[in-house]
Amino acid sequence: MEIPNNIKEALKQLPDTPGVYMHKDSLGNVIYVGKAVSLRNRVRQYFQSSRNMDPKVRSMVSQISEFEYITVDSEMEALILECNLIKKHRPKYNILLRDDKTYPYIKVTNEEWPRVIKTRNVRKDGGSYFGPYSDAGAVNRIVDLLNSSFALKRCSAVAFASGFRPCLNYHINQCRGICTGSVSHEEYEEAIAGAVEFLRGHSAPLVNNMKKRMQEASDRLDFEEAAEYRDYIEAAESLNETQRVVLHHSNEADIVVRVAKTDSFAVFSVREGKLVERETFSMDLTSSIDGDSKSILEAFINQHYSAVPDVPREIIVSELPSGSALLEQYLSEISAHNVKIMKPERGEKRALLKLAVSDAAVLADTIERKAKAAAARRDELGKEIWDVLCAMGAESGPYDSRQFRAEAYDISNTNGIDTVGAMVVYDGLKADKQSYRKFRVRTVEGQDDYASMREVLSRRFMRVFSGDDKFAVLPDIIFMDGGKGHVTTALEVIEATGFDIPVVGMVKDDHHRTRGLIVRRPETGASEAAGANDTDFEWLEITLEDKPLLYKYIGTMQEEVHRFAITYHRKLRSKNMEHSVLDEIEGIGPKRRKALLTAFGSVEEIRKIASGSAGGIADKDGGEAVDPIERLAQVEGMDRRAAENVCRFFSK
């Protein structure tokens, strides 16, 4: 194996100390992160004879163009740094925990008057977190149940002015009314304690109460209310499964079991001595070069428990992971209590482990069926996208089986003000929200979607050339929320950058629903004709009536990019409404500013009206000219003096 000169020189400089190394490809992407007791010995192993290397390792080494390393003082620091870098870069050849930090938690906030809320972000803020849970719907219902049953505070306000009027929840006995100042801390803390007890597994009292209320509602023939209690009960039971095994000598433990024939792990939670919950987590082992079972288990425990707020005191496994002693030390430090990773050989813990392994064996069939169904959907979608690419002339021949990475773009503004662009990314069927990007348009004045899109796309692809890792991965296909003009604009930018990426327009009908796709392809016979040039193309509209999966995929993507764009625009507009160029005009305060913008729509329109003050402008009905000062003064809250100030300001 021929080693590049730059790597040869770098290998000579490697220190004989603990640290973390990062292998990079020719584009600078991190493709593997590893830890080492001795960087010198470990990194050099990759560049020795490849004769006995695993094929995946050989493939990875062939892509290494450079490597970096970070020295640390101990193996423990290397373990922590490796975990953080894997989560940041998500390297191709590492074992990766899928859906990292996407499961919801139930949080009891650390406030003077605590709240019970749903969250997906775990922070060290003093709050109490319960989860993660895989059933987001059940989490929503449980949060609603606890808030209703214990009449807890729901609003985020931390202070209330004298005479504050309580909201509807107080009047329908769904909130104690902290805002009224008549609730004692002792009474409220008792209610919060009840909610916490439920979340810790003591659900029987509340569930029994719900069953009683459901029966009473049914006896009154109030089946709608009875159904509501039924949903609460089902949600409670999905979060806290009925007791199956009791551990008399262990209050808090997790059983971690690899699900056979899959890339998933099942985590069985024991709380208060009871087996109360099972969650499954999928690992991405597709390209991983660390393929032995102990390394995979080590990667899962490291990545999973470094992200959860409540690490149990015992983690029970059927085989000890690589570096189990180091893992125990690390987990003990981040959880502030001793954590033991153990493989029981006898007794009740061994019996519980056997039960978990048996359950996971049954679970394997379910996971395998779901995986096969998801793979079939991805393959069907890939074929339908391939058909679109072939229709465009971008591809030809039989379907090239792969998972497509798609980017979609949209522009949002209000009368040309606060224009923003949005980019959403899909890997196959799934939205890759970590790769979403938003842009504030800087160079375009007024409402010009094409110019705005040109700026957004130019900035997106220029970030590739600048070496920005967040934009380094290019899409296989780009979807534009629009028609011919948007597709043409995107193609002009892409061709100017030298990339070759197909662009498709997502067209809507008169009811703003997805109608089909529009593509530009070379005109039939144009390439052979004498004098053919870049303008020899034709437009093709592709209906989606016979492509149900692609129709749903495009509709979902179109709605998602629109949602992402308009959410950012509204946030920006709300922020900018707090300050405007109108604030610089004497006599124009927040009320008059809002009234002017409501009346005329934008600052630009106000400027046009005000700048016509020298000779007057015609009214909207084409009648006599209306003096700009008079027209501005007619706005609610304005007077002549304020209108004169506006005209004087813009005339400058």
Side-chain angles (χ1 to χ4, degrees), residues 147-148 151-155 160 164-183 187-188:
N147 280 318
S148 299
L152 302 177
K153 175 176 175 286
R154 304 188 189 209
C155 61
F160 302 95
F164 187 89
R165 297 178 63 184
C167 66
L168 179 62
N169 286 321
Y170 172 75
H171 294 292
I172 60 175
N173 299 319
Q174 296 291 295
C175 175
R176 296 171 184 270
I178 307 302
C179 53
T180 64
S182 59
V183 181
E187 176 189 350
Y188 192 81

Side-chain angles (χ1 to χ4, degrees), residues 197-461:
E197 281 297 296
F198 175 91
L199 294 171
R200 286 178 174 166
H202 296 282
S203 58
L206 189 55
V207 169
N208 291 336
N209 187 30
M210 292 297 107
K211 289 180 178 179
K212 180 181 177 181
R213 293 186 181 185
M214 180 178 69
Q215 186 60 50
E216 290 174 351
S218 179
D219 293 341
R220 297 194 308 269
L221 303 183
D222 190 344
F223 299 116
E224 184 174 346
E225 183 178 343
E228 185 176 348
Y229 288 126
R230 178 204 62 203
D231 292 342
Y232 284 144
I233 294 168
E234 290 178 354
E237 290 175 346
S238 72
L239 262 63
N240 298 290
E241 296 176 7
T242 56
Q243 176 181 344
R244 291 159 52 180
V245 174
V246 175
L247 288 182
H248 297 94
H249 304 292
S250 180
N251 287 330
E252 190 178 276
D254 276 1
I255 304 101
V256 177
V257 178
R258 175 86 179 270
V259 182
K261 301 184 295 183
T262 74
D263 293 339
S264 298
F265 279 88
V267 178
F268 299 78
S269 298
V270 177
R271 299 296 182 266
E272 302 295 331
K274 301 175 184 178
L275 181 59
V276 296
E277 181 178 34
R278 184 197 69 197
E279 301 287 347
T280 58
F281 301 88
S282 179
M283 303 291 287
D284 184 357
L285 308 179
T286 310
S287 304
S288 167
I289 64 172
D290 300 317
D292 65 284
S293 60
K294 292 185 177 181
S295 296
I296 294 171
L297 180 58
E298 177 195 18
F300 173 76
I301 291 176
N302 191 352
Q303 295 181 45
H304 174 66
Y305 287 105
S306 64
V308 302
D310 184 21
V311 181
R313 295 183 180 275
E314 293 180 350
I315 299 175
I316 300 172
V317 294
S318 55
E319 68 171 341
L320 292 176
S322 301
S324 58
L326 188 63
L327 270 178
E328 287 179 346
Q329 184 183 349
Y330 169 52
L331 296 178
S332 298
E333 288 185 4
I334 66 173
S335 60
H337 59 248
N338 289 330
V339 176
K340 178 70 175 176
I341 301 174
M342 61 185 304
K343 176 188 174 183
E345 299 294 342
R346 63 183 66 84
E348 59 183 12
K349 292 178 183 177
R350 177 66 180 173
L352 184 58
L353 177 61
K354 288 181 66 176
L355 173 67
V357 171
S358 175
D359 189 82
V362 177
L363 183 64
D365 294 332
T366 302
I367 292 178
E368 191 173 18
R369 284 197 302 272
K370 289 183 178 179
K372 287 181 177 179
R377 289 196 300 272
R378 285 196 301 269
D379 193 55
E380 181 183 349
L381 176 65
K383 289 178 180 177
E384 292 181 349
I385 292 179
W386 186 264
D387 290 342
V388 173
L389 294 175
C390 291
M392 298 169 61
E395 299 288 354
S396 61
Y399 168 55
D400 176 13
S401 178
R402 57 181 167 161
Q403 181 166 315
F404 285 91
R405 180 180 176 89
E407 290 180 2
Y409 293 84
D410 191 18
I411 297 293
S412 181
N413 61 59
T414 301
N415 297 322
I417 302 299
D418 293 333
T419 303
V420 301
M423 162 185 146
V424 303
V425 180
Y426 277 71
D427 269 330
L429 292 168
K430 187 176 179 182
D432 179 9
K433 296 194 175 183
Q434 290 185 339
S435 297
Y436 283 18
R437 298 291 179 262
K438 50 195 177 186
F439 305 82
R440 183 172 182 178
V441 176
R442 303 167 181 164
T443 63
V444 181
E445 295 185 7
Q447 188 163 349
D448 189 337
D449 279 7
Y450 298 150
S452 300
M453 187 60 72
R454 186 175 291 107
E455 178 190 326
V456 168
L457 289 170
S458 297
R459 287 166 56 189
R460 184 262 180 268
F461 289 109

